[in-house]
Amino acid sequence: MRRIVCRLVTVLAAAAMGTAVAAGPAAAAPVRVPTGMDQPPWPYKDCLAAAKQHKESPAYAKWHCDELVKKGWIKKPGT
């Protein structure tokens, strides 16, 4: 029973990581990176709009978006 549970955990972990258990990393499909607006950095105004949609206060939304600018997820305002 323990072997079955261990194997199940391994399979679930591999599925979460997006790799095949038996085939290994060499058989993994190449990752296609889409281009366009679905990739960061996103515009600052979109960040503020999303914060408003999530009912964040204006001050917290500005702070939140500024933090995401530091991480590179959002474009600096005015660019």
Side-chain angles (χ1 to χ4, degrees):
M1 181 70 173
R2 185 174 184 167
R3 179 177 284 175
I4 293 172
V5 172
C6 183
R7 179 71 175 169
L8 179 62
V9 170
T10 305
V11 169
L12 291 175
M17 292 174 30
T19 58
V21 176
V31 177
R32 182 180 165 272
V33 178
T35 58
M37 287 304 295
D38 53 349
Q39 289 289 309
W42 290 287
Y44 196 83
K45 65 178 182 168
D46 289 352
C47 179
L48 292 176
K52 185 176 182 180
Q53 182 181 5
H54 290 281
K55 299 182 176 152
E56 294 179 3
S57 71
Y60 183 77
K62 183 183 178 318
W63 173 83
H64 193 183
C65 292
D66 289 343
E67 291 296 313
L68 292 174
V69 166
K70 291 177 188 176
K71 292 182 178 183
W73 285 90
I74 304 295
K75 291 179 187 174
K76 293 180 183 177
T79 58

